[in-house]
Amino acid sequence: MTEHAVVVAGGGPTGLMLAGELALAGVDVAIFERRPNQDLAGSRAGGLHSRTIEILDQRGIADRFLSEGQKAQVAGFGSVRLDISDFPTRHAYGLGLWQNHIERILAGWVRELGVPIHYGTEVTGFTQDATGVDIALSDGRSLRAQYLVGCDGGRSLIRKTAGIDFPGWDATTSSLIAQVEMAEEPELGIRRDASGTHAVGKVEYEVREGEVVYQKGGPVGVMLTEEHVGATAEPTLDDLRERLIAVYGTDYGVHSPTWISRFTDMTRQAAAYRKGRVLLAGDAAHVHSPVGGQGLNTGVQDAVNLGWKLAQVVHGTAPESQLDTYHAERHPVAARVLHTTMAQVALMRVDDRTDALRDSVAELLSMHEPRKRFAAMMSGLDIHYDLGDSHPLLGRRMPDLDLVTANGPLRVFTLLHAAKPVLLNLEEPGLEEPGGLDITPWADRVQLIEATYVGAWELPAIGPVGAPAAVLIRPDGHVAWVGGLSQSGLVDALTTWFGPG
């Protein structure tokens, strides 16, 4: 019987990111993915929002993605584009990059960290007890792990087997989506008619001066709103051809599909992200319309929130109850994503009254303050975990400041490459000197960095905030404590998040 500390079911972006986080923390983790290899037929979803790019930067791998993608202003609400180029972040943009490339790059990073990825093998069942999970695999083998994490998509077997409810709303719209070849040059762009919104675009494109410029020839991406909701059979090329003719009056000689699929605006969220030693992340925990492009990004961010917490529990430095903070923090984030996607779907309906509403929302979002708030929400830069209200930074992402240390200049995100927490003293050297706090009990877990920073402190959508004397930064980049020379509350924060000293 093979044993691992953690088994991750599913090798998509969420599962790969989680495995990388666990490996950085020295946890024995393995991925089981039902696909025969990492290849993903076609391009699928595409795009990384600003906060996700920051997360990759925190791990020192953002450049791998930036070198292959197209920087663009991708944040939007419904049909309204939201410019974040004036936001206080190094990554005041999104990245156009298809999911097959995102997965390939993440898989390369995970392999560098020594994580085994077992392709062509999926988890088919499990039972759990007080000390672990017995897992059955599709190849007939079984293994035991301390924890099992379901990153196996919206139809998650892990969620269903664990008996976790998946409440929400049934679909009101259905769309065909495909990557195909066409004998004729199609009409590119978005078209709306009485049945809904449709789009045709080239898979190969460039972004020039903020505008998408499609390449001549090559694969074509198609999205067509279906006339009726509720089809259960797998869509075919004939289905796609018939719908193209109904919408455009021609099928453009469509042929050679790489893949054809269907998506709806079904909106559901797991009632619990954890049941005993089984946890959920990504689409296994929440599904919604793809409008806004937040699904993949939310899943990657789930993984980064869970990874370091699960690692500490596995290592015994934190109690198992710390895993409950994963649900407490990430469930509200996804609930808001579900809420905003439902609102955007409603705005995209095609009738005169919705057109009038959409125009009013567009006018509202052209104003400075509403634009900032919605853009921060859609880009993930305003995520705020409820850790108290003593300072605006508490519970929010730590800005990537340019610090000055005794060893030279240093970026905050560089300090997070190893996924270890950081206690950053920005006031005076010597937190551990008489009159300060001795953090020796946490020295093996927390980096103590003496630094100075000269400049304004500003948060997206919030604006300028007071400069703190010291901050405690979690491995996921969120601030766990803000204080001054008195260090009031620091011991409690260190104990809560990184175990007793």
Side-chain angles (χ1 to χ4, degrees):
M1 181 180 290
T2 304
E3 296 191 34
H4 296 285
V6 179
V7 164
V8 175
T14 299
L16 290 166
M17 192 74 207
L18 177 61
E21 294 291 293
L22 291 167
L24 283 173
V27 171
D28 173 19
V29 56
I31 298 173
F32 290 87
E33 165 58 45
R34 64 186 176 92
R35 287 177 292 172
N37 51 54
Q38 194 60 54
D39 293 344
L40 187 66
S43 51
R44 305 290 171 167
L48 298 174
H49 281 297
S50 178
R51 179 54 188 157
T52 307
I53 301 170
E54 285 192 338
I55 285 171
L56 298 170
D57 199 355
Q58 288 173 185
R59 297 299 177 256
I61 58 174
D63 286 346
R64 304 185 187 195
F65 299 84
L66 295 173
S67 65
E68 295 196 25
Q70 298 276 341
K71 295 180 182 179
Q73 293 300 324
V74 303
F77 189 82
S79 59
V80 182
R81 295 295 93 194
L82 300 171
D83 192 338
I84 65 168
S85 59
D86 60 342
F87 275 27
T89 170
R90 292 183 196 274
H91 305 290
Y93 49 78
L95 191 71
L97 186 63
W98 296 116
Q99 183 173 333
N100 53 343
H101 298 301
I102 293 170
E103 288 195 14
R104 172 177 50 78
I105 297 168
L106 280 175
W109 174 59
V110 166
R111 289 191 188 93
E112 290 171 14
L113 296 172
V115 177
I117 307 176
H118 302 278
Y119 292 108
T121 310
E122 62 181 312
V123 175
T124 57
F126 64 86
T127 58
Q128 62 171 313
D129 55 38
T131 60
V133 187
D134 291 308
I135 300 167
L137 301 175
S138 58
D139 61 4
R141 291 183 296 151
S142 63
L143 58 85
R144 185 169 175 82
Q146 293 180 50
Y147 291 92
L148 170 64
V149 186
C151 301
D152 53 338
R155 299 175 183 176
S156 172
L157 179 141
I158 307 302
R159 184 189 66 240
K160 294 172 183 176
T161 304
I164 297 174
D165 290 338
F166 203 40
W169 297 265
D170 292 334
T172 64
T173 66
S174 178
S175 297
L176 296 175
I177 186 169
Q179 184 174 310
V180 296
E181 299 285 343
M182 289 182 171
E184 306 167 22
E185 278 295 314
E187 174 190 323
L188 301 177
I190 296 173
R191 172 183 282 202
R192 290 188 175 88
D193 62 20
S195 66
T197 301
H198 320 281
V200 178
K202 296 295 183 68
V203 173
E204 300 298 329
Y205 66 93
E206 293 181 7
V207 178
R208 301 176 188 167
E209 297 181 353
E211 297 295 326
V212 175
V213 179
Y214 294 112
Q215 304 297 303
K216 292 290 184 181
V220 179
V222 180
M223 190 276 287
L224 301 166
T225 302
E226 295 186 277
E227 196 168 4
H228 303 290
V229 178
T232 56
E234 288 296 316
T236 66
L237 182 60
D238 284 339
D239 294 329
L240 191 71
R241 184 178 288 119
E242 290 174 9
R243 196 68 193 127
L244 278 167
I245 292 171
V247 174
Y248 293 93
T250 176
D251 64 5
Y252 296 110
V254 64
H255 65 94
S256 305
T258 304
W259 55 270
I260 305 174
S261 187
R262 174 181 284 114
F263 71 86
T264 72
D265 67 331
M266 182 179 71
T267 304
R268 297 187 179 280
Q269 185 175 21
Y273 281 16
R274 175 193 173 207
K275 189 165 186 179
R277 291 178 171 267
V278 177
L279 300 106
L280 304 174
D283 288 354
H286 39 76
V287 296
H288 50 81
S289 165
V291 62
Q294 291 182 287
L296 184 154
N297 291 269
T298 304
V300 168
Q301 292 166 26
D302 286 346
V304 175
N305 183 283
L306 173 61
W308 64 276
K309 296 173 180 178
L310 182 54
Q312 291 188 149
V313 173
V314 167
H315 290 315
T317 56
E320 192 172 318
S321 59
Q322 187 172 92
L323 296 177
D324 294 331
T325 69
Y326 167 59
H327 173 97
E329 292 182 349
R330 293 303 299 174
H331 193 277
V333 171
R336 186 172 68 162
V337 170
L338 267 60
H339 186 265
T340 57
T341 54
M342 288 195 295
Q344 291 175 86
V345 168
L347 280 174
M348 295 173 71
R349 293 188 179 122
V350 183
D351 60 65
D352 291 343
R353 287 175 173 81
T354 305
D355 287 347
L357 176 60
R358 191 164 49 246
D359 289 345
S360 297
V361 170
E363 182 179 357
L364 176 69
L365 293 180
S366 70
M367 301 174 189
H368 186 59
E369 286 301 321
R371 188 267 305 177
K372 285 200 308 181
R373 289 189 177 275
F374 273 72
M377 174 178 67
M378 298 305 295
S379 61
L381 292 170
D382 76 336
I383 292 172
H384 178 210
Y385 302 138
D386 185 9
L387 305 184
D389 57 5
S390 61
H391 191 281
L393 274 170
L394 195 59
R396 299 185 187 275
R397 54 177 275 288
M398 177 68 183
D400 186 22
L401 307 178
D402 287 309
L403 306 173
V404 177
T405 72
N407 295 321
L410 193 64
R411 289 171 52 200
V412 167
F413 284 5
T414 302
L415 296 170
L416 296 171
H417 284 185
K420 289 189 65 174
V422 177
L423 178 57
L424 188 59
N425 180 21
L426 297 162
E427 186 70 16
E428 295 178 2
L431 274 172
E432 69 277 23
E433 292 175 357
L437 180 70
D438 182 358
I439 65 162
T440 301
W442 292 274
D444 62 333
R445 284 164 272 172
V446 180
Q447 306 170 76
L448 174 58
I449 303 295
E450 310 279 359
T452 58
Y453 170 69
V454 179
W457 287 73
E458 186 179 0
L459 297 175
I462 302 297
V465 299
V471 291
L472 179 62
I473 310 167
R474 307 189 320 189
D476 59 0
H478 283 258
V479 175
W481 172 83
V482 181
L485 293 178
S486 68
Q487 312 308 322
S488 174
L490 178 56
V491 169
D492 288 343
L494 288 165
T495 303
T496 296
W497 295 112
F498 312 118

